[in-house]
Amino acid sequence: MKRSVVILGSTGSIGVQALEIVDANPNLFSVIAISSTGSNPDEVIAQAKKYSVKIVGTIRNADVIREALPGVTVIDGPLASTELASMKCDVVLNAITGSIGLGPTLAAIKAGNQLALANKESLVAGGSLVMPLAAANQILPVDSEHSAIWQCLQGNNRADVSKLILTASGGPFRDRKDLSGVTLAEALAHPTWSMGPVVTINSATLMNKGLEIIEAHHLFAISYSQIDAVIHPQSVVHSMVEFKDGSTIAQASPPNMKGPIALAINYPQRTDAVTAPIDWTQSSTWNFSPIDETRFPAVALARHCGAVGGALPAIFNASNEVAVAAFIAGQLSFNQIISTVSSIVARFEGSSIPTLRDLSDVSAIEEDAKVATHLLISKAAI
Ligand code: MG
């Protein structure tokens, strides 16, 4: 029996790599539905034809897609991915970028589907809503660090865990002293990982690591004081778990997202030859060093927002989404991305932080944070 897979964000970096895994394993997977923004309708149409997909979700260009795909059901509008996530299937891969992925995450969980989760913002913004609804092993992490931790935890008693240690490549500016003149092209040139533009910028500011600390807190139900992050430039050790007896288990493989994607969509099976293994006949060096939190203030800010909790992580993430877009548009300098987010967080903390009861609470507070960030940016000068 093939595993039926729904892929949300099929034209993004993770979605495309998931389809390549399906290509390489036609006997294992059947893609029954895909969704994307529809900004590139030709790619959506080509994917739907190639994988004989029955249902396509899109935000834009629904008419073009519908016309090109007779016999395929095209669901359009902002709730298309949420609708696809609740379809009966073996696994939903949520590879949407941004906290817009929270609705589909909640829908997949509520429908009882397994959820291969690449959308970390779901847990950053709405972890307190998502986790109480999820059964054990219903959420299968696709983020490479969390996949590593999850693998290291297999067969171990959670009570024996003393610490989770996330690794970070350090991004393109790991060794650069002055980050004030960083250009967009420099920020987009990641040394070890090939990813979409938002996560690549988030890796350059280390915001990505901050978001991942919050993600780990929710996924593994562990306190922030038990989550560390270290720089590991080679991106081969994807994360580690330290146990109370002083032993540490690490997961290692060359940097390639196909490993975590395949493990999540084919759980509990491992898939043949997804990535080339480490070549142990070649000498290599693995380095680990602490994060410079002065040059990269996003990590401490994330920890702070996570520890305060309530709506603050959602505010933090929403503000960052706007600030990153403004950096890409040339409206903010690189260092202004996190200083802007920090100002917004401080402003919201000045009044009482609401708790989150449901998805509409999250959307409302995110909208407030986005408006406030836009306003602040419109006043800022590079
Ligand atoms: Mg990651």
Side-chain angles (χ1 to χ4, degrees):
M1 275 289 282
K2 291 186 187 183
R3 283 178 70 72
S4 55
V5 187
V6 170
I7 300 181
L8 313 177
S10 65
T11 57
S13 170
I14 297 289
V16 167
Q17 292 179 79
L19 289 170
E20 287 169 5
I21 293 168
V22 172
D23 260 349
N25 298 279
N27 300 325
L28 291 182
F29 306 105
S30 153
V31 182
I32 60 169
I34 56 174
S35 76
S36 64
T37 60
S39 306
N40 185 348
D42 291 343
E43 189 179 4
V44 174
I45 292 161
Q47 286 181 343
K49 285 182 176 166
K50 181 170 180 183
Y51 298 95
S52 307
V53 168
K54 300 280 179 292
I55 299 175
V56 171
T58 187
I59 296 174
R60 288 185 275 283
N61 294 312
D63 291 345
V64 181
I65 295 168
R66 209 170 264 131
E67 195 174 329
L69 298 171
V72 172
T73 303
V74 177
I75 299 171
D76 64 311
L79 294 178
S81 286
T82 300
E83 206 168 315
L84 263 57
S86 28
M87 287 174 59
K88 186 161 173 40
C89 63
D90 289 317
V91 60
V92 175
L93 170 63
N94 184 349
I96 293 169
T97 300
S99 64
I100 192 174
L102 176 57
T105 285
L106 286 166
I109 300 276
K110 286 177 185 167
N113 288 325
Q114 293 251 289
L115 175 65
L117 185 63
N119 177 258
K120 67 192 78 186
E121 296 90 343
S122 292
L123 294 181
V124 171
S128 60
L129 302 177
V130 173
M131 295 314 296
L133 301 176
N137 287 325
Q138 190 178 3
I139 300 180
L140 312 163
V142 173
D143 214 345
S144 60
E145 295 79 359
H146 306 74
S147 175
I149 290 168
W150 180 54
Q151 293 176 60
C152 295
L153 287 171
Q154 300 295 318
N156 284 294
N157 188 340
R158 291 296 177 96
D160 290 340
V161 172
S162 57
K163 220 180 255 182
L164 308 181
I165 302 114
L166 302 178
T167 56
S169 69
F173 311 128
R174 187 183 69 239
D175 299 320
R176 181 159 160 172
K177 293 280 171 278
D178 181 7
L179 301 180
S180 56
V182 163
T183 65
L184 177 60
E186 288 170 336
L188 287 175
H190 197 277
T192 50
W193 288 103
S194 169
M195 307 172 288
V198 174
V199 64
T200 303
I201 301 294
N202 285 345
S203 294
T205 59
L206 292 198
M207 168 58 88
N208 187 53
K209 210 49 52 184
L211 298 176
E212 288 178 352
I213 288 172
I214 301 174
E215 181 186 10
H217 163 77
H218 288 294
L219 266 180
F220 304 112
I222 192 163
S223 70
Y224 285 98
S225 63
Q226 290 175 284
I227 309 172
D228 282 351
V230 296
I231 300 290
H232 168 52
Q234 293 83 13
S235 301
V236 174
V237 173
H238 297 300
S239 280
M240 302 170 263
V241 177
E242 183 186 293
F243 295 89
K244 67 181 184 184
D245 61 357
S247 177
T248 298
I249 298 182
Q251 185 268 329
S253 51
N256 183 331
M257 285 307 298
K258 284 187 181 171
I261 296 168
L263 192 59
I265 63 175
N266 202 19
Y267 176 83
Q269 314 294 331
R270 285 187 185 260
T271 309
D272 287 337
V274 176
T275 66
I278 295 167
D279 182 355
W280 299 99
T281 66
Q282 302 294 312
S283 34
S284 60
T285 307
W286 294 351
N287 302 95
F288 300 91
S289 57
I291 291 175
D292 178 350
E293 296 199 353
T294 309
R295 283 186 303 136
F296 300 106
V299 177
L301 186 59
R303 255 178 213 293
H304 170 74
C305 293
V308 170
L312 204 57
I315 292 162
F316 168 68
N317 178 65
S319 178
N320 180 65
E321 288 184 10
V322 172
V324 167
F327 171 68
I328 292 173
Q331 295 161 339
L332 283 183
S333 71
F334 182 77
N335 279 338
Q336 283 175 323
I337 299 172
I338 304 302
S339 68
T340 299
V341 175
S342 181
S343 299
I344 295 297
V345 164
R347 185 177 305 181
F348 276 80
E349 271 197 283
S351 48
S352 70
I353 306 289
T355 51
L356 301 171
R357 293 161 303 179
D358 53 26
L359 181 58
S360 63
D361 278 356
V362 179
S363 304
I365 197 75
E366 285 185 333
E367 191 53 32
D368 289 351
K370 287 181 179 180
V371 168
T373 308
H374 277 296
L375 206 61
L376 186 61
I377 291 169
S378 70
K379 291 179 190 159
I382 293 177

